[in-house]
Amino acid sequence: MSAKLKDRIATFVIIAFSALIIALLVGMLGYILVKGISHIDWHFLTAEPETIKAGGGIGPELFNSVYLLILTLIITIPLGIGAGIYMAEYAKEGRITVSIRLVVEVLSSFPSIVVGLFGLLVLVNTFNFGFSVLSGALVLTIFNMPLMVRVTEQAFRNVPREQKEAGLAMGLSRWKIITSILLPVALPAIITGTILAAGRIFGEAAALLFTAGLTTPKLDFTDWNPTSLHSPINPLRPAETLSVHIWKVNSEGLSPDAAEIAAGSSAVLVLMVLIFNLLARWAGRLLYRKFTSIK
Amino acid sequence: MKANHETPPFMKANQETPLLFRKHRAEEWIGRIYTTFCVALLIVIIVSIVYFVASKGVSTFAVNGVSLSGFLFGQNWQPDSDKFGALPFIFGSFVTSLLAAVIASPLSVCAALFMTEITPNWGKKVLQPVVELLAGIPSVVYGFIGLSVLVPFLRSVFPGQGIGVAAGSIVLSIMILPTITSIATDALASLPRNLKEASYGLGATRWQTISGVVIPTVLPSILTGVVLGMARAFGEALAVQMVIGNAPHIPSSLFESASTLTSVITLNMSNTVMGSVQNNALWSMALILLLMTFVFVLVVRLLERRTKI
Amino acid sequence: MTDILRTEELKIYYGQNEAVKGVDLTFTENSVTALIGPSGCGKSTFLRALNRMNDEIPGSRMTGNIWIDGKNINAPDTDVTVLRQNIGMVWQRPNPFYKSIYANIAFGPKYHGVRNKAELDNIVEDSLRKAALWDEVKDRLHTSALSLSGGQQQRLCIARALSVQPKILLLDEPASALDPVSTAKIEETILQLKEQLCIVIVTHNMQQAARISGHTAYFYMGRLVEYDKTEKIFTNPSDPMTQEYISGRFG
């Protein structure tokens, strides 16, 4: 076989495989959206799920997913950014920094189910938080923190070194430089990273099976007392999220329209992820302009 | 000019307040304490995860007296008759993640080559977002599609029920495709230009350049991506559990129901009583997952060291 | 003229490498001193020692004394932050903060406790006037500092340094990245600032040193070879090495 022919075949294979990947994504998205979107209406998005009858919705699950995401971000963002700043600005190159980097790497590689089990043992049982939004949020924090640390560290390292020097030479404290000079420049990248991470949190299920639970108490959206069991914002109530719901419906769903519900839920989940992706791109560009130029 | 220890006349600012309460010193302390606390928290988390999972996992052998070799190599998982052989699950995990890597690697490398060597422009605009989106799709959605599209398809083409190692591996391969692709792409994009130009200059075709110069140079990086992908596949729970069938034995074919470590934990953890032997055996499996994470990280580190030289 | 800054046997090491090998120099109030010499001669390192910026470079070490107003600032108990508040610095590449023009200048005074808006406005105007930038930017104080040209950015950096009213200003090749017109403006600014400040400038440009400085110090291989009135250095240097460098440069 001549070299030219080989080259042609190889090029063809590469292009064919790449096309296959694109087709896979298009096919999967198309399948979910076509099957799911027809099922999505206001009733589906707001109604309670049904166990045996048809016509159940995903209202509480959707609310739980969003609530859990917000709670997780509230906990993760300050901690993750703090640790990221330590890595970028305070850590001296040496054995300790190398080990912390290893910790971050290992932590982000732990299977989510193992982290979920840890949450079950420590948060649900030992700390007695029970199957709850709080347990779920804390477990998701464990997941999300390494990601936030990396994003923050990278964002700070990308700020030109001269910015820091200028601050130092003006006699600013390191902390003042970090918060007032470097952070505004690094923030767009951090926000983009956070939104992408939020997409991941939104889709996570394995860790939540054992922490946030598989059930939701009947929610009363007029009750905003955080200690009441039926209050949507009670952090100590169990909360089945949308992702967990998809899993549950697929593996033990009894209602006659289980397949449609799974498709509709998947469509909602995928749409949310798509929105997070677009938002991240858009926000990154917009914020960069806003933070670095006109005040 | 003589040395004296009076306050210099022009060194103003911050001088009136006592040393300890100077604003910038206080800020310095706040920053240091806060960020150190955050990092310390990371370390506390990882230490407690390892400690708790390990102590639970070890108790199967230390407290309940199950033999380690019986656990690792026993083929029978019959908790009711005190048989705790986890080999079917260990086998299932390794086979599915290996197969997933085998399927995904060529696809990923081709995608990476497409984006860097064939049409960077098109690649960046179309394939890159596609790969990013693939990475963003939640695992339960992969499981759902696997269950409602892939499994019926396999059932109609191959013998068996469609569920099994084949279905699990294919679903996993799509899930780890973005991991391998993005690492391979980064490695290919960082290749010095003159490396390829030298090869083209000698009259080599594109494929000769790719196979002769490009791939050998970035092989360690590609392997890093493959290992990271395998690590993800090994730890993935729900997507696999939904399509693999969950039968507790070593399958005799790719199209026969099987189980992985993660799938058996997922299904049984809530059905067993904390502290029972069966429950502890599940923790031992979690410990295996944990140890494998360390192995994967170690292998990645070794590969990265090779990349640097 | 009063002495304001004096170094004594100043030695600076990067790891094992001795970059500055014992330099004694005195700087007076209201003067411009140029530090010249070939690349790597230690002049920038010496400059960065004066506000302890070398502390930020891992592995750097300094021995000897730096007297400022009767206090040795190369002592462990020196509060570097306070020291730097009183010594301004401008680099080769302009590095304005990624903020508005106004915010760049007001940042330092705000940090030091100036809260009054009118007072801040005054400081901003005053600093920009001193740096000869006011007329060019007074109508767009709240636009991004990055929208300015390179030369304007550099003058903004000078204004930023002046905003906290330092007595000493360190300039590290402030004009070497700029076009001739901007360079001329910067030089003009320096000559005006001389009335109030002790300015130390590192430069590669001989004409520039001759134009703006009262005294010149010639560094070579980490040593101070010759220090004298600029006129003397450029017309009749005592050391043949200085002669060679200067004439070589003039070509």
Side-chain angles (χ1 to χ4, degrees), chain B residues 140-159:
Chain B
V140 283
V141 175
Y142 278 111
F144 165 67
I145 297 175
L147 199 57
S148 47
V149 180
L150 181 64
V151 168
F153 170 75
L154 290 176
R155 185 163 46 213
S156 65
V157 177
F158 297 99

Side-chain angles (χ1 to χ4, degrees), chain B residues 296-308:
Chain B
F296 284 125
V297 169
L298 189 74
V299 173
V300 166
R301 285 273 157 132
L302 290 176
L303 283 169
E304 275 172 351
R305 197 167 297 168
R306 267 194 63 187
T307 320
K308 270 173 204 152

Side-chain angles (χ1 to χ4, degrees), chain C residues 194-212:
Chain C
K194 189 184 134 187
E195 306 302 321
Q196 304 135 38
L197 285 168
C198 164
I199 296 173
V200 186
I201 177 170
V202 165
T203 179
H204 269 125
N205 181 332
M206 296 303 113
Q207 289 102 320
Q208 185 173 64
R211 280 195 297 268
I212 59 174

